Amino acid sequence: MKLNNKVAVVTGAGSGNGRGIALSYLREGAAVVVADINEDGGKETVSLAPEDSRVISIRTDVTKKDEVENMVAQTIKEFGRIDILVNNAGIVSFTPFLELSEEEWDRVHDINLKGPFLCSQVVAKEMLKQNNGGRIINMTSVEAHVVVSSSGNCQPHYNSSKGGLTMLTKALASELASYGITVNSIAPGPIETPFTEMGLKNPAIKKWILEQVPVGRVGQPRDIANAAIFLALDESDFITGTTLFVDGGWTVK
């Protein structure tokens, strides 16, 4: 098992990519904390875990520092340490720029950017106490690097939040490197999750998406989970501050 004896916190693990990462980490021997504001989703992820897994679900609003601190304290109490943090919790919305409210802008940035900041800061402090390095993995997006528009409407709030997370990844990688903590990001392309379910059910949208992906298929959560396993391994300790694109070639096309 590649992650035997490791302890991982995965935010937004109540569904989609987060669930895929959490279950893959469990299959590789890690203990996992499923941190999600959706308590029912978190419990469902736990119910899907392999038999005899070390896994707990903690309801967590990543935009609230006290809830993040509580989640981390419970993790330490249960498992004694944190080796891996995956900042996966995020939201997307499709409101056109000219109709975008200040409240919606703030909500997207709070969850997609402030959340990873808070979780990384609180977890990194625990990693420093352990004096054994650690892994922080941020979930960004191809839309941190390119503007995707199939209907004339863009997502400036989403683009900027994920672009900010990409730069946060680089900044934290630089600051935490001397402590043996690596910080990297994964940039998914089109992945079949609850986020994309509505669009993929539309034949015209799915056709347009497939035309953008050279490998000719929509990605699956396992594709993201495989990347998250790699970046969590001890063997990846010379990789930091980088973005691993898991997009079927979208950004090269």
Side-chain angles (χ1 to χ4, degrees):
M1 292 186 176
K2 297 176 182 178
L3 298 175
N4 203 30
N5 299 320
K6 301 292 187 182
V7 177
V9 171
V10 184
T11 71
S15 64
N17 289 326
R19 174 176 288 173
I21 292 168
L23 295 177
S24 293
Y25 278 3
L26 288 166
R27 286 191 288 268
E28 292 297 339
V32 173
V33 172
V34 175
D36 201 304
I37 196 170
N38 179 352
E39 193 169 9
D40 290 339
K43 290 178 179 177
E44 185 177 353
T45 298
V46 171
S47 74
L48 297 171
E51 190 175 352
D52 298 325
S53 293
R54 296 185 298 155
V55 57
I56 60 173
S57 173
I58 303 174
R59 185 195 179 280
T60 310
D61 181 344
V62 297
T63 71
K64 302 288 192 293
K65 188 173 184 179
D66 60 337
E67 293 198 25
V68 172
E69 290 175 333
N70 174 67
M71 178 270 290
V72 170
Q74 287 191 54
T75 301
I76 298 301
K77 181 179 180 180
E78 182 75 20
F79 297 122
R81 60 186 297 108
I82 300 175
D83 302 290
I84 305 158
L85 167 65
V86 181
N87 285 310
N88 169 78
I91 60 169
V92 62
S93 67
F94 301 95
T95 305
F97 169 64
L98 295 178
E99 300 172 16
L100 186 62
S101 69
E102 183 178 353
E103 291 75 20
E104 188 172 353
W105 172 278
D106 287 345
R107 182 167 179 263
V108 169
H109 279 77
D110 279 353
I111 296 173
N112 292 359
L113 185 54
K114 180 182 176 182
F117 155 67
L118 291 174
C119 291
S120 296
Q121 186 180 66
V122 177
V123 169
K125 289 178 180 178
E126 290 297 331
M127 289 178 171
L128 293 184
K129 293 177 187 177
Q130 296 162 192
N131 196 30
N132 192 35
R135 301 282 182 269
I136 297 175
I137 302 167
N138 295 322
M139 198 63 60
T140 59
S141 170
V142 296
E143 294 195 58
H145 304 268
V146 296
V147 175
V148 176
S149 173
S150 62
S151 59
N153 294 328
C154 303
Q155 300 162 263
H157 46 328
Y158 183 75
N159 291 108
S160 57
S161 70
K162 292 300 187 178
L165 185 55
T166 299
M167 286 308 301
L168 180 65
T169 299
K170 293 176 182 289
L172 297 187
S174 177
E175 184 161 342
L176 298 176
S178 62
Y179 301 106
I181 300 172
T182 66
V183 188
N184 292 289
S185 64
I186 296 171
I191 308 294
E192 191 170 355
T193 69
F195 273 171
T196 60
E197 182 178 17
M198 184 176 297
L200 291 173
K201 285 181 178 179
N202 183 315
I205 292 177
K206 186 171 184 178
K207 178 177 181 294
W208 180 85
I209 288 173
L210 290 175
E211 288 172 349
Q212 314 310 310
V213 183
V215 301
R217 70 172 176 88
V218 174
Q220 298 296 318
R222 67 174 180 272
D223 297 308
I224 304 303
N226 289 337
I229 290 171
F230 168 67
L231 290 175
L233 295 175
D234 291 341
E235 288 82 355
S236 68
D237 66 356
F238 199 58
I239 302 171
T240 196
T242 194
T243 297
L244 177 55
F245 289 86
V246 185
D247 63 355
W250 181 302
T251 47
V252 299
K253 184 179 179 183

